[in-house]
Amino acid sequence: MYREINLEAKNYLVKELNEIFYKKYNDKKLLYRCYKEINMLYDKNVLFIIARLYKYKEDDESVSFYFKGMINNLFVLYVLGLSNVDPIKYNLSCDLYLDEYLSFSILNEPLSYFIRYLNKNDYAKFIHLKNKYNQEDNKYLIIPEYYELENMQLIFNSDGLLETDIEYSPYYLMVQIEEKDYLIEDNKGELVNILSTPDDLKIANVLKPKTLDDYIKVKSIAHSVKLWKDNQDELYKQNKLTINDLITSIDDVYDYLIKHSVDKDIAIDIVRIVKQCLATTDVWNEYVKIMKENNCDDTFIKIISRAIAIHCRGEAISECLFVLDKNNYIEL
């Protein structure tokens, strides 16, 4: 259903990439990584949305985007100027782009303006899903113009945008698009502002973060479930782990496995199982054997086995960089 618009986006973005890449870099391996990532976005049917964002930012450079999830691991977004997260600098592997969804926020622009732009002069319409339980869900079905709609009633909402009362459809691509609010000016752009939730503050009170990397670890582990409390917290207090040893993100799991010479494809499978909270299956037991054969520490295996959900490093980096950017603050 989405092949035509994604193929057009692929041809367009490859051409743009070829024009701008060597103005910034002189490394063919990085260029090939970008090609690979474009193909990954193409395979997930979301490449045409990335092309839309790129065109939108070309028209208005003041607008910026905030991506959620492991799409932050894609270097091509950084090269195209859509993301502030440099995956090379922060050692983020594009092979960990395992998300089955696309979620992002727009900065410096009302969401209704942005959706109108997305719906203008193109091959697909972004239709708001009217969730009777949460009107602020901001999920959108994306339906190609040429596709004939069946049994779908559309209305215009108060913002003048197309809306449907269908809450979910397996047939259409769905994305989540939100607005990202400005921060209030208070110690503008300082590391301490990264600690924005009670969990952040509790963990930071123990770990005493000093560098940006430390704060990224705090943010990552605070977003995760059962990765800190009743897991690594006691090990840290017993001086069995330092802040550098902590497994705070899904990327840390992958890096540890690769460092211990676990086959790359197997490492990705292990990450996928951990990410999907399936570390109790027979398949998991087989992977535990492989990890032990590669001298992975029992403590590491126990940590990732007990975690219910593990956050990704790229999103924590994005969140930290947002807080450190003084342009994202307003004065009251």
Side-chain angles (χ1 to χ4, degrees):
M1 184 190 303
Y2 299 96
R3 184 178 183 278
E4 182 178 335
I5 52 180
N6 274 296
L7 185 58
E8 182 176 315
K10 182 176 181 178
N11 294 333
Y12 168 72
L13 287 177
V14 167
K15 181 180 178 182
E16 290 294 308
L17 182 65
N18 289 338
E19 289 182 2
I20 68 175
F21 183 85
Y22 283 113
K23 295 178 182 178
K24 302 179 179 181
Y25 305 95
N26 186 26
D27 189 332
K28 283 188 177 181
K29 289 184 178 180
L30 291 181
L31 179 60
Y32 294 151
R33 170 170 171 159
C34 289
Y35 291 152
K36 176 181 178 179
E37 292 173 354
I38 284 177
N39 286 329
M40 295 171 76
L41 291 163
Y42 176 85
D43 290 340
K44 289 182 180 287
N45 286 321
V46 298
L47 187 61
F48 74 97
I49 304 175
I50 302 303
R52 290 271 198 98
L53 301 187
Y54 179 75
K55 290 179 181 179
Y56 191 74
K57 189 165 179 62
E58 276 200 319
D59 293 339
D60 186 356
E61 293 183 357
S62 67
V63 170
S64 55
F65 303 102
Y66 178 93
F67 292 92
K68 297 182 179 180
M70 304 196 79
I71 196 171
N72 284 289
N73 288 41
L74 301 190
F75 182 58
V76 69
L77 297 185
Y78 183 73
V79 175
L80 293 173
L82 299 178
S83 170
N84 290 328
V85 178
D86 182 351
I88 307 303
K89 178 178 179 180
Y90 294 103
N91 188 33
L92 304 177
S93 171
C94 63
D95 293 316
L96 295 185
Y97 176 39
L98 305 174
D99 291 341
E100 297 300 328
Y101 63 92
L102 178 60
S103 178
F104 65 93
S105 301
I106 183 169
L107 285 64
N108 309 333
E109 184 79 67
L111 184 57
S112 59
Y113 292 1
F114 181 56
I115 299 299
R116 288 193 186 96
Y117 170 84
L118 294 177
N119 282 339
K120 185 179 179 182
N121 299 323
D122 214 321
Y123 296 109
K125 292 297 182 187
F126 288 67
I127 301 173
H128 183 247
L129 286 172
K130 186 178 181 181
N131 187 327
K132 61 183 177 182
Y133 301 107
N134 181 7
Q135 295 296 324
E136 303 301 323
D137 209 16
N138 291 323
K139 290 182 179 177
Y140 294 81
L141 289 182
I142 307 176
I143 302 177
E145 287 276 24
Y146 51 76
Y147 194 80
E148 184 176 347
L149 300 179
E150 296 181 1
N151 302 320
M152 183 180 292
Q153 293 184 340
L154 299 177
I155 61 172
F156 285 98
N157 62 19
S158 58
D159 290 322
L161 304 177
L162 284 173
E163 187 171 80
T164 180
D165 58 3
I166 293 178
E167 294 183 13
Y168 171 77
S169 172
Y171 305 109
Y172 306 117
L173 182 67
M174 184 175 70
V175 299
Q176 185 167 4
I177 310 174
E178 300 176 329
E179 291 179 15
K180 183 76 172 172
D181 294 331
Y182 283 102
L183 300 169
I184 298 172
E185 185 171 4
D186 183 17
N187 298 319
K188 183 166 65 176
E190 294 186 8
L191 284 170
V192 67
N193 288 0
I194 291 171
L195 307 176
S196 59
T197 70
D199 285 341
D200 291 347
L201 293 168
K202 286 180 183 177
I203 295 171
N205 189 50
V206 176
L207 296 181
K208 310 295 184 187
K210 297 181 177 61
T211 67
L212 176 57
D213 285 343
D214 292 344
Y215 277 88
I216 291 169
K217 282 183 172 288
V218 170
K219 207 69 182 176
S220 293
I221 204 168
H223 283 316
S224 301
V225 181
K226 289 200 173 179
L227 190 58
W228 173 250
K229 185 175 175 56
D230 299 323
N231 197 340
Q232 294 184 94
D233 57 343
E234 291 302 320
L235 294 172
Y236 183 84
K237 291 175 183 177
Q238 295 168 14
N239 295 319
K240 293 180 179 179
L241 294 175
T242 68
I243 190 170
N244 293 324
D245 299 325
L246 291 175
I247 300 298
T248 62
S249 67
I250 207 72
D251 306 80
D252 290 342
V253 176
Y254 179 76
D255 292 345
Y256 183 97
L257 294 171
I258 295 300
K259 184 178 179 181
H260 285 75
S261 302
V262 175
D263 177 80
K264 180 179 176 182
D265 290 336
I266 292 177
I268 292 172
D269 280 343
I270 291 172
V271 164
R272 184 180 286 109
I273 289 175
V274 172
K275 187 173 185 289
Q276 294 174 347
C277 310
L278 298 175
T280 56
T281 61
D282 291 339
V283 174
W284 177 251
N285 292 332
E286 291 301 315
Y287 282 137
V288 168
K289 292 180 183 178
I290 292 174
M291 287 187 279
K292 289 185 176 182
E293 289 170 358
N294 285 271
N295 298 316
C296 294
D297 192 270
D298 287 343
T299 300
F300 165 79
I301 297 173
K302 185 177 180 180
I303 288 169
I304 64 173
S305 296
R306 295 178 67 181
I308 292 178
I310 302 184
H311 202 63
C312 55
R313 187 192 301 152
E315 187 171 334
I317 294 169
S318 180
E319 195 168 352
C320 292
L321 294 180
F322 178 81
V323 171
L324 296 179
D325 187 344
K326 295 182 179 181
N327 293 320
N328 294 328
Y329 289 77
I330 58 172
E331 296 183 21
L332 292 181

